[in-house]
Amino acid sequence: MQDSKKQADTFSAITEPSPTSEANLPPKQVIPHNNIEHKWQAYWKQQHVDVADIASAKKPLYNLMMFPYPSAEGLHVGNMYAFAGSDIYGRYMRMRGYDVFEPIGLDGFGIHSENYALKVGKHPKEHAADSEKHFYEQLHSIGAMFDWTRTVETYHPDYYRWTQWIFVQMFKHGLAYRGKAAVNWCGGCKTVLSDEQVLQKEIDGASYAVCERCGNKVEKKLLEQWFFRITAYAGKLLDHIPSLNWSEKVKGAQEKWIGRSEGMTIKFGKIEVFTTRPDTLNAVTFLATSELYEEGSKEKKGEFSGEYAINSLDGRNIPIWKTNYVAPGYGTGIIMGVPAHDERDMEFASTYHLDIVKKDPDPTLWERIEKEGWGKRTTKYHLRDWTISRQRYWGAPIPMIYCETCAKAKIGEQLSMPGWYAVPEKDLPVLLPDIDDYKPRDDGVGPLAKHKEFYETICPHCGAKAKRETDVCDTFLDSSWYYLRYPSVRCAHSEQVPFDPEITKKWLPVAMYTGGSEHSVLHLMYSRFVTMALHDFGFLDFDEPFSTFFAHGLVIKDGAKMSKSKGNVVNPDIYIEKYGADALRMYLMFMGPFADGGDFRDTGMESMYRFIGRIWRLITSSANMSSVDSDAATHRQLQMAIARVTDDLAKRRYNTAIAGLMECVNVANDAKKPLSTEDAKDFVKLIAPFLPHIAEELWVRVTTGGETIPDNYQSVHKQSWPMYDKSLLLSSSIQFVIQVNGKVRETMQVGVDDAKNQKVIELLVANNEKVKKYLITASKKIIFIPGKLINFVV
Ligand code: ANZ
Ligand code: ZN
């Protein structure tokens, strides 16, 4: 049902004017959209229409879209899509009486932006300044209700000072530690990456780890690094998931990534193994270690170690094999081989002709092993600690100092890490110096390691000569807390605190967060962890950052996800110039359900522009008439539209809401009669979230009869949402039946006119959660009985 072609057909059926009305088509540029946009953007700014009343808002609602990172020249239509969808919700909720705060900023520190700067041969700092100007211009042009008085840019010292402060808190509470570990090294980006930043990719039949940024194969390197102990929160991160009001696919991805396994560690003499199947202990025939481990290898390989271990169950000696298929980082790195019940073990046993014992699993073994004391219940997680160090330039310097003198005397702030001290809070930020040799290096250290004037310092404990850490923080630390900062920007003591406690209490957690699902196990996991930690340190009184998270779909162009690497990026600026930001917003939202994305087509853009022209003519002609009554059918249809749009906006089903507006315009046009002033006002309110500039221009015309903004003007965006007349709605709608293979799966209350239009019904069905699941495969046949039922034969 989500077939994009079908969607497009439906679209043209509703918007394309019939041949007879072609003459009535507005000429190109009938709407002076460029003038209108400039006029109202200036007005909103001057009147602080979008500046939230942070201190005294009565019904605060924090509506947030993930802030962009400037990893390209500018924003593309895919980014605009997400911002428009988030903004429409914010505007709608404001008209419903909420004090909506919708901030914006730039995630411009870190590898994303730095890689782009390197590519175009610019200093990262210069790129940041340029992109700040350009991205903000673009973000201004889309007409979102951003509060421009409270922006956050992660690379400014007044922000990263607090990123460093968070690092220090983590260290003080034992959640930041230094460890030598086999970490992911990307030779392309010349830095360490966290597990979340590594993707698995099939190359010639084998699976390899590659860098999510540059696509290079990632190798394992044994390096000393800073880690955040996210694993300490594995259980809590997992346990909260069912209660989160988040898109299901993101919740599923997090559950899988954290990966809880309930099992046992069992002793085989001195050796311990981790197993989820203690009930198969009676069929163990060998132990396997991780000594020969190879990433991505499909073939099982191994070598007998010459040693044996004892199975306490029967006292038998079993051989210990070195193998390539047991992962060193998981469990104890040694497994018990049970060929009869485990495929991988079976493959290995067959290759090396090891014993295969066929015995049924015995559930009583769990109890026996525990009782007799040669094993205990253990919970393991697949989640690994978060590698924070980056051997790069463009990031917040890790605020740590190493003192050799203290290290020798075995003293330090944390006993487990002699010699290491956090930079005292009063000395933050540790400023990132301006240097020319900022390029990443091949030797495993970051560019700052070559700058004495940066790293030479004094031990905060003993005063001896000491050395600063020269790695910088992973950029995902920058973005793990930015939502905490926004409401407190510009507050009285924003210089003294990362976030004001009172303000934070009032505005957070974020009520509605919108973003891409590709961040499921990255940003969305790190943010949850950082929030939980700050909660436990006593800085926050909530422990989940985002009450609701909505994953938007992706914009497809020529059959592929819109992205720079595919070369199918559409620049929104051209469309905004030609058709206006409003038309682009409305078109993007009509491509398909917001959660599913859609296919971007120029022809669709044209049709949408014509549709907006029809709205323009309908309302401007109504505005010039004084107090007429609307045509009865139009008035009824408007009530339908209000009901539909209200319901759809709350659930973010923007495309069906727009379809509702289209029908309403069609009915009004057929009636060839202007709307009454009250109806015109209601209609303008309905389109306001989608078409913020045009709605405002129509509002001033309908309410004053002219184009000039009076002194006491009240913006349409500050009006309350229209109500509909229920009695009219009932008499003009019917129960419509939806069947799949002849079985009734749903009934819907639809308008009399809708009930006659198969395309409209199909569109409604495509967005109905209950029916959707029965229609995963394409229908062979569709039986449509106007005014009664539709039956999908699948
Ligand atoms: C015996 C056994 C019998 C197992 C059986 C499975 C099935 P998850 O769910 O992923 O936690 N295992 C343990 N550590 C491992 C490592 N470092 N590398 C590769 N495999 C490892 O799976 C835990 C199971 O995966 C453990 O239970 C162990 O094999 C294996 F019929 O032990 B089992
Ligand atoms: Zn010292």
Side-chain angles (χ1 to χ4, degrees):
M1 285 309 299
Q2 301 309 323
D3 178 71
S4 54
K5 187 166 172 299
K6 192 170 270 168
Q7 182 81 46
D9 289 349
T10 314
F11 177 37
S12 48
I14 298 171
T15 57
E16 221 66 55
S18 59
T20 46
S21 65
E22 195 69 41
N24 299 334
L25 256 187
K28 278 263 154 62
Q29 292 284 325
V30 66
I31 312 171
H33 56 254
N34 302 107
N35 294 344
I36 291 175
E37 283 168 17
H38 291 139
K39 170 180 173 182
W40 291 106
Q41 282 170 16
Y43 175 82
W44 296 333
K45 188 173 175 190
Q46 189 208 359
Q47 297 293 318
H48 301 292
V49 169
D50 299 322
V51 178
D53 189 350
I54 292 290
S56 41
K58 296 230 162 46
K59 282 176 84 177
L61 187 137
Y62 193 163
N63 182 48
L64 185 66
M65 166 60 206
M66 287 178 179
F67 63 166
Y69 46 78
S71 64
E73 215 173 281
L75 295 170
H76 61 67
V77 157
N79 306 116
M80 261 228 40
Y81 175 76
F83 284 112
S86 171
D87 183 61
I88 287 166
Y89 181 78
R91 288 185 178 278
Y92 167 68
M93 291 306 274
R94 184 163 62 181
M95 292 177 81
R96 299 238 51 156
Y98 289 90
D99 295 284
V100 177
F101 176 46
E102 192 173 295
I104 187 70
L106 280 178
D107 188 14
F109 228 0
I111 198 164
H112 316 94
S113 304
E114 191 181 18
N115 278 6
Y116 182 74
L118 290 167
K119 192 174 131 194
V120 296
K122 264 195 207 171
H123 193 287
K125 196 172 174 177
E126 191 192 337
H127 169 59
D130 292 351
S131 62
E132 187 172 310
K133 190 167 170 287
H134 184 57
F135 273 66
Y136 279 174
E137 269 167 16
Q138 279 191 307
L139 286 163
H140 261 111
S141 73
I142 66 176
M145 53 174 287
F146 294 135
D147 181 343
W148 284 103
T149 66
R150 295 184 178 88
T151 62
V152 151
E153 297 84 22
T154 51
Y155 43 83
H156 286 155
D158 60 356
Y159 181 82
Y160 72 70
R161 160 187 188 176
W162 300 111
T163 306
Q164 292 173 335
W165 175 87
I166 289 176
F167 189 105
V168 170
Q169 301 310 316
M170 291 286 188
F171 176 71
K172 297 210 154 137
H173 292 85
L175 291 180
Y177 68 92
R178 231 176 128 68
K180 202 172 190 146
V183 290
N184 309 301
W185 176 264
C186 172
C189 293
K190 296 176 181 172
T191 182
V192 159
L193 302 173
S194 73
D195 283 358
E196 288 81 1
Q197 289 150 14
V198 172
L199 309 172
Q200 288 301 321
K201 203 172 157 192
E202 292 278 325
I203 306 171
D204 301 331
S207 165
Y208 292 98
V210 299
C211 170
E212 64 121 11
R213 276 292 107 204
C214 72
N216 250 58
K217 273 191 205 169
V218 166
E219 346 152 23
K220 288 281 178 187
K221 249 195 190 179
L222 207 59
L223 282 176
E224 237 189 70
Q225 301 284 308
W226 285 101
F227 290 87
F228 275 3
R229 213 181 292 282
I230 190 172
T231 52
Y233 283 83
K236 197 169 173 182
L237 285 165
L238 193 67
D239 291 343
H240 284 198
I241 290 176
S243 64
L244 294 176
N245 185 15
W246 285 26
S247 298
E248 287 303 322
K249 61 178 168 183
V250 175
K251 298 202 318 185
Q254 289 210 351
E255 264 162 5
K256 201 167 158 217
W257 185 258
I258 299 168
R260 174 149 53 201
S261 292
E262 308 278 3
M264 276 189 156
T265 36
I266 299 179
K267 283 188 211 142
F268 285 79
K270 275 189 205 133
I271 298 172
E272 285 200 337
V273 306
F274 173 68
T275 176
T276 48
R277 298 293 306 276
D279 56 331
T280 63
L281 185 66
N282 53 11
V284 173
T285 60
F286 64 96
L287 295 192
T289 73
S290 52
E291 268 158 278
L292 305 176
Y293 182 69
E294 284 173 293
E295 175 109 31
S297 166
K298 288 251 152 124
E299 229 178 290
K300 303 265 173 314
K301 286 187 234 154
E303 168 184 307
F304 180 47
S305 72
E307 288 175 48
Y308 292 83
I310 299 164
N311 183 350
S312 306
L313 185 67
D314 49 23
R316 287 225 303 244
N317 271 341
I318 52 171
I320 305 173
W321 281 69
K322 301 177 185 174
T323 71
N324 70 341
Y325 73 98
V326 176
Y330 187 62
T332 62
I334 306 176
I335 64 156
M336 58 184 216
V338 191
H341 300 293
D342 187 292
E343 254 177 62
R344 295 161 302 175
D345 297 345
M346 180 57 122
E347 213 186 310
F348 187 75
S350 313
T351 311
Y352 293 97
H353 309 292
L354 305 178
D355 290 349
I356 297 161
V357 174
K358 294 213 160 122
K359 270 195 187 161
D360 285 343
D362 178 358
T364 65
L365 282 173
W366 283 81
E367 290 141 41
R368 186 168 156 201
I369 294 166
E370 218 172 10
K371 241 185 254 157
E372 298 188 6
W374 15 282
K376 60 171 191 290
R377 278 177 199 264
T378 324
T379 303
K380 289 264 186 270
Y381 296 93
H382 277 271
L383 186 69
R384 299 281 74 121
D385 277 340
W386 175 11
T387 327
I388 283 285
S389 314
R390 293 294 176 276
Q391 292 71 38
R392 297 288 292 241
Y393 167 67
W394 192 237
I398 290 177
M400 295 298 301
I401 293 169
Y402 182 69
C403 170
E404 193 70 50
T405 315
C406 284
K408 281 192 181 128
K410 295 219 179 333
I411 45 177
E413 209 168 335
Q414 300 281 326
L415 286 179
S416 57
M417 282 171 270
W420 283 103
Y421 295 96
V423 171
E425 286 179 31
K426 65 171 174 41
D427 296 339
L428 296 178
V430 177
L431 286 173
L432 181 67
D434 280 330
I435 59 171
D436 288 330
D437 50 345
Y438 54 81
K439 291 203 173 119
R441 310 167 51 83
D442 277 316
D443 51 2
V445 295
L448 295 179
K450 303 291 154 190
H451 286 263
K452 263 193 178 161
E453 76 287 0
F454 172 77
Y455 66 69
E456 280 187 350
T457 186
I458 278 169
C459 171
H461 181 72
C462 73
K465 259 196 176 172
K467 206 177 159 209
R468 281 184 199 287
E469 170 64 67
T470 55
D471 284 351
V472 299
C473 296
D474 178 10
T475 179
F476 281 99
L477 183 59
D478 306 323
S479 57
S480 71
W481 74 280
Y482 75 111
Y483 48 89
L484 295 173
R485 180 79 177 161
Y486 275 134
S488 298
V489 171
R490 234 166 38 80
C491 78
H493 38 283
S494 68
E495 306 270 289
Q496 285 92 51
V497 289
F499 41 84
D500 175 274
E502 292 274 298
I503 292 175
T504 306
K505 207 172 190 151
K506 193 177 171 94
W507 287 92
L508 280 116
V510 175
M512 175 58 89
Y513 195 29
T514 304
S517 56
E518 69 272 22
H519 293 287
S520 297
V521 298
L522 291 156
H523 164 63
L524 288 169
M525 186 84 86
Y526 298 141
S527 300
R528 294 184 61 212
F529 160 58
V530 167
T531 301
M532 285 177 183
L534 290 175
H535 165 82
D536 289 352
F537 305 160
F539 295 113
L540 295 174
D541 53 11
F542 52 90
D543 60 3
E544 283 289 346
F546 316 121
S547 308
T548 301
F549 174 71
F550 188 95
H552 63 74
L554 296 174
V555 179
I556 305 293
K557 175 84 170 125
D558 309 326
K561 172 188 169 182
M562 193 176 284
S563 79
K564 276 209 59 170
S565 59
K566 301 234 164 56
N568 61 355
V569 165
V570 175
N571 183 343
D573 304 358
I574 304 158
Y575 288 87
I576 290 176
E577 176 67 26
K578 190 166 172 201
Y579 302 103
D582 286 353
L584 181 56
R585 286 165 66 105
M586 185 97 122
Y587 169 63
L588 289 172
M589 292 304 113
F590 195 60
M591 290 187 313
F594 187 47
D596 295 358
D599 207 355
F600 189 90
R601 295 165 191 227
D602 284 7
T603 48
M605 194 62 237
E606 280 283 343
S607 307
M608 184 54 82
Y609 190 66
R610 281 202 293 276
F611 168 62
I612 294 171
R614 297 165 81 193
I615 293 183
W616 178 263
R617 278 183 307 136
L618 176 67
I619 304 298
T620 49
S621 64
S622 306
N624 297 331
M625 307 290 289
S626 55
S627 63
V628 287
D629 277 339
S630 301
D631 157 68
T634 309
H635 180 68
R636 233 192 298 121
Q637 191 64 36
L638 178 63
Q639 307 312 299
M640 282 293 299
I642 298 174
R644 162 111 51 99
V645 175
T646 304
D647 191 39
D648 285 348
L649 282 187
K651 294 177 181 138
R652 312 187 102 188
R653 292 187 307 227
Y654 303 138
N655 58 332
T656 50
I658 296 166
L661 293 170
M662 289 173 170
E663 287 164 54
C664 188
V665 172
N666 283 349
V667 173
N669 275 4
D670 286 349
K672 298 200 167 50
K673 203 181 160 193
L675 301 180
S676 71
T677 305
E678 282 316 302
D679 280 357
K681 279 163 80 176
D682 278 357
F683 188 81
V684 173
K685 287 181 188 175
L686 280 192
I687 59 170
F690 298 96
L691 310 171
H693 310 88
I694 288 172
E696 193 79 281
E697 180 64 24
L698 290 173
W699 187 252
V700 78
R701 294 188 187 203
V702 170
T703 54
T704 72
E707 291 171 39
T708 22
I709 313 173
D711 284 345
N712 60 349
Y713 180 69
Q714 290 289 324
S715 164
V716 68
H717 300 294
K718 298 269 174 164
Q719 303 299 321
S720 54
W721 191 249
M723 310 274 277
Y724 56 90
D725 184 341
K726 275 208 181 99
S727 61
L728 279 180
L729 205 64
L730 283 177
S731 64
S732 65
S733 67
I734 50 163
Q735 285 270 86
F736 197 88
V737 173
I738 298 147
Q739 299 182 339
V740 180
N741 294 338
K743 252 204 185 128
V744 179
R745 292 300 182 186
E746 173 78 310
T747 55
M748 294 194 302
Q749 197 70 26
V750 298
V752 212
D753 293 320
D754 286 0
K756 292 181 207 147
N757 186 334
Q758 182 170 350
K759 301 273 182 201
V760 173
I761 294 294
E762 282 183 31
L763 187 64
L764 289 173
V765 169
N767 283 282
N768 185 299
E769 288 302 319
K770 236 163 118 187
V771 196
K772 227 162 130 178
K773 59 174 183 265
Y774 298 109
L775 297 172
I776 312 162
T777 50
S779 312
K780 272 192 239 128
K781 206 168 119 189
I782 300 173
I783 302 156
F784 182 74
I785 306 178
K788 278 217 168 71
L789 70 79
I790 191 163
N791 180 17
F792 296 88
V793 184
V794 295

